[in-house]
């Protein structure tokens, strides 16, 4: 009898293990997540590459292209669909094609999403579902390179874990929502090449983790917020081709790691702050503004520029002699100003062409005409 009881116990344990194993398989993809994915997919059309061919079967966590799941919770945690990819599924395609359609609000039913990447399809349109602000685990939103219109969701600031917000190269309009200043984990903000209007939020300096702020190619107005200069991690600041006015904050030149400052194509006035020319900035583009006064005579060994573009402004006076003390200047453009006097000799002027100095009042010397006695 003892042997029979032992055998029954062993068999019972095996049955329990098998049932547990079966439960794990079922949990690999919750039916509600699978249904939400299929509803999301129904609003998109991609006929050429076959991105959604693998979206079959009951287990959306295994083999569904671009879908990732949390191994602990068995919930869908990521959607990654890139239109320009090195993945073999794209390389095998006989011809590339556009994905069209829109982003369904059904995506908001995937409550454990941490990543949404629907990028570089050129044809995805519609609006960003406002309910996306309720996906509180989101860390990465990348919708670059589509035809998405509408506005940035007003409650985007609810996403406390968000690190990357890339909505560049779309057709978004409206202002930058003030709630964006609540995204204290944000390190990358890219809204380039849209139709965004209004001013940069005054308190954007609260986002201490930002390393890149890319807002060029919009219709942004107002002034450069002073608070931007308190983001000590900021490396790239691109505000080009907007309608920004007012002076350049001198404190931009005091930022310890700022390497790229693009302010070209705006309505910026005032003078060039001396601090910019002896800062950590190596790519400085101030062209196409209303900047007046003289070029500060404050260059020195710390001045290192791969690009220094001051063209198409209202600058007067000579090119400062201290510019030859710079450790390096790769590209210099001071054309289309009101500069006058002799062009300094030596580096970097020994490798620059006449176009770098053209359309000034009375500059002379190599590579322009000789100066008279």
């Amino acid at each position: 009898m003892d042997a029979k009881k032992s055998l029954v116990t062993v068999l019972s344990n095996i049955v329990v293990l098998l049932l547990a194993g079966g439960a794990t398989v079922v949990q690999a993809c919750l039916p509600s997540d699978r249904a939400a994915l299929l509803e999301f997919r129904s609003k998109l059309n991609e006929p050429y590459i076959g991105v959604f061919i693998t979206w079959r079967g009951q287990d959306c966590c295994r083999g569904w292209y671009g879908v990732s799941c949390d191994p602990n919770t068995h919930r869908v945690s990521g959607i990654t669909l890139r239109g320009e990819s090195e993945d073999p599924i794209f390389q095998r395609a006989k011809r590339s094609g556009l994905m069209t359609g829109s982003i369904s609000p059904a995506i908001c039913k995937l409550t454990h999403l941490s990543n949404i990447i629907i990028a570089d399809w050129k044809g995805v349109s519609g609006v960003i579902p406002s309910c996306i602000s309720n996906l509180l685990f989101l860390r990465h939103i990348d919708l670059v390179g589509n035809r998405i219109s509408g506005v940035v969701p007003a409650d985007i600031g609810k996403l406390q874990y968000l690190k990357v917000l890339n909505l560049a190269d779309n057709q978004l309009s409206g202002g930058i929502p003030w709630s964006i200043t609540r995204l204290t984990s944000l390190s990358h903000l890219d809204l380039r090449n849209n139709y965004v209007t209004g001013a940069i939020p005054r308190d954007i300096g609260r986002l201490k983790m930002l390393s890149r702020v890319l807002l060029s190619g919009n219709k942004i107005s107002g002034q450069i917020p002073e608070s931007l200069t308190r983001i000590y991690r900021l490396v790239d600041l691109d505000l080009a081709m907007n309608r920004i006015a007012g002076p350049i904050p001198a404190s931009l030149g005091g930022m310890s790691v700022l390497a790229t400052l693009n302010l070209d194509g705006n309505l910026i006035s005032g003078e060039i702050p001396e601090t910019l020319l002896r800062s950590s900035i190596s790519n400085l583009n101030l062209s196409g503004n209303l900047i007046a006064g003289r070029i500060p005579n404050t260059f020195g060994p710390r001045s290192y520029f791969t690009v220094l573009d001051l063209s198409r402004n209202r600058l007067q006076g000579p090119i400062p002699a201290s510019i030859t003390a710079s450790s390096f200047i790769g590209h210099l453009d001071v054309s289309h100003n009101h500069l006058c006097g002799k062009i300094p000799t030596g580096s970097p002027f020994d490798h620059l062409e006449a176009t770098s100095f053209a359309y000034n009042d009375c500059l002379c010397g190599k590579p322009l005409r000789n100066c008279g006695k």
Side-chain angles (χ1 to χ4, degrees):
M1 291 296 294
D2 291 339
K4 289 183 178 180
K5 287 182 179 180
S6 297
L7 180 60
V8 169
T9 301
V10 170
L11 290 174
S12 298
N13 289 336
I14 291 174
V15 170
V16 169
L17 289 172
L18 288 174
L19 289 174
T24 300
V25 172
V26 171
Q27 290 178 355
C29 179
L30 295 184
S32 58
D33 281 5
R34 178 179 178 275
L37 282 172
L38 291 177
E39 189 176 350
F40 161 78
R41 184 259 177 275
S42 70
K43 299 296 182 180
L44 296 170
N45 181 40
E46 192 289 292
Y48 301 123
I49 300 175
V51 168
F52 296 115
I53 289 177
T54 60
W55 286 35
R56 298 173 178 173
Q58 298 301 311
D59 192 354
C60 61
C61 290
R62 296 186 182 182
W64 284 35
Y65 180 82
V67 176
S68 55
C69 295
D70 186 311
N72 298 315
T73 64
H74 310 290
R75 303 298 303 267
V76 174
S77 60
I79 298 175
T80 302
L81 303 173
R82 292 191 182 275
E84 298 176 1
S85 173
E86 296 300 321
D87 192 284
I89 194 171
F90 289 86
Q91 301 306 311
R92 290 195 301 267
K94 293 182 179 180
R95 62 171 178 150
S96 62
L98 298 179
M99 181 185 290
T100 57
S102 60
I103 301 173
S104 169
I107 200 171
C108 302
K109 298 177 182 179
L110 301 168
T111 56
H112 284 64
L113 276 181
S114 61
N115 297 296
I116 299 174
I117 302 175
I118 307 169
D120 295 315
W121 288 103
K122 308 296 189 288
V124 176
S125 58
V127 302
I128 301 172
S130 59
C131 60
I132 205 171
S133 299
N134 296 324
L135 299 177
L136 300 182
F137 295 102
L138 276 177
R139 287 172 167 79
H140 193 135
I141 300 176
D142 187 349
L143 306 178
V144 63
N146 286 293
R147 296 173 56 195
I148 297 170
S149 57
V151 300
V152 180
D155 292 334
I156 194 81
K158 292 166 63 176
L159 304 178
Q160 292 296 300
Y161 299 110
L162 194 66
K163 293 184 177 181
V164 174
L165 179 60
N166 188 352
L167 306 177
D169 300 321
N170 278 287
Q171 299 174 7
L172 294 169
S173 58
I176 301 172
W178 66 268
S179 71
I180 207 168
T181 61
R182 295 177 178 174
L183 300 177
T184 53
S185 297
L186 196 66
S187 63
H188 181 106
L189 174 62
D190 193 347
L191 302 179
R192 287 177 293 177
N193 302 322
N194 280 284
Y195 302 103
V196 176
T197 57
I200 300 170
R202 184 180 59 183
D203 295 332
I204 194 170
R206 296 174 58 185
L207 306 183
K208 302 298 185 183
M209 302 303 290
L210 275 176
S211 62
R212 306 190 78 197
V213 176
L214 310 176
L215 305 178
S216 62
N218 283 286
K219 298 180 180 180
I220 296 170
S221 56
Q223 298 190 13
I224 301 171
E226 187 76 29
S227 69
L228 260 175
T229 67
R230 296 195 289 272
I231 305 176
Y232 64 91
R233 294 173 180 264
L234 193 61
V235 176
D236 298 324
L237 177 58
D238 187 356
L239 306 180
M241 307 306 294
N242 278 290
R243 299 173 180 175
I244 296 171
I248 302 171
S251 48
L252 278 172
M255 301 179 70
S256 58
V257 297
L258 186 63
T260 298
L261 178 59
N262 290 335
L263 303 179
D264 50 300
N266 280 287
L267 302 172
I268 294 170
S269 57
E271 299 185 353
I272 300 173
E274 295 181 1
T275 54
L276 294 186
L277 302 182
R278 53 174 186 266
S279 66
S280 62
I281 300 171
S282 59
N283 187 331
L284 178 61
N285 192 340
L286 307 180
S287 67
N289 281 287
L290 306 175
I291 301 170
R294 292 173 172 247
I295 301 173
N297 192 23
T298 54
F299 292 86
R302 287 193 61 192
S303 305
Y304 183 102
F305 294 100
T306 54
V307 173
L308 177 58
D309 194 341
L310 309 178
S311 65
R312 300 180 184 277
N313 279 288
R314 299 176 178 180
L315 296 170
Q316 299 176 334
I319 298 173
S322 66
I323 197 170
T324 59
S326 303
S327 60
F328 178 77
I329 297 182
H331 173 77
L332 173 68
D333 193 345
V334 295
S335 65
H336 296 270
N337 279 288
H338 300 289
L339 300 176
C340 195
K342 185 177 181 179
I343 297 172
T345 58
S347 180
F349 302 97
D350 50 7
H351 69 266
L352 296 175
E353 298 182 357
T355 53
S356 295
F357 307 97
Y359 300 99
N360 277 286
D361 287 358
C362 49
L363 282 180
C364 61
K366 189 179 180 181
L368 300 180
R369 60 180 176 81
N370 292 331
C371 296
K373 293 183 179 181

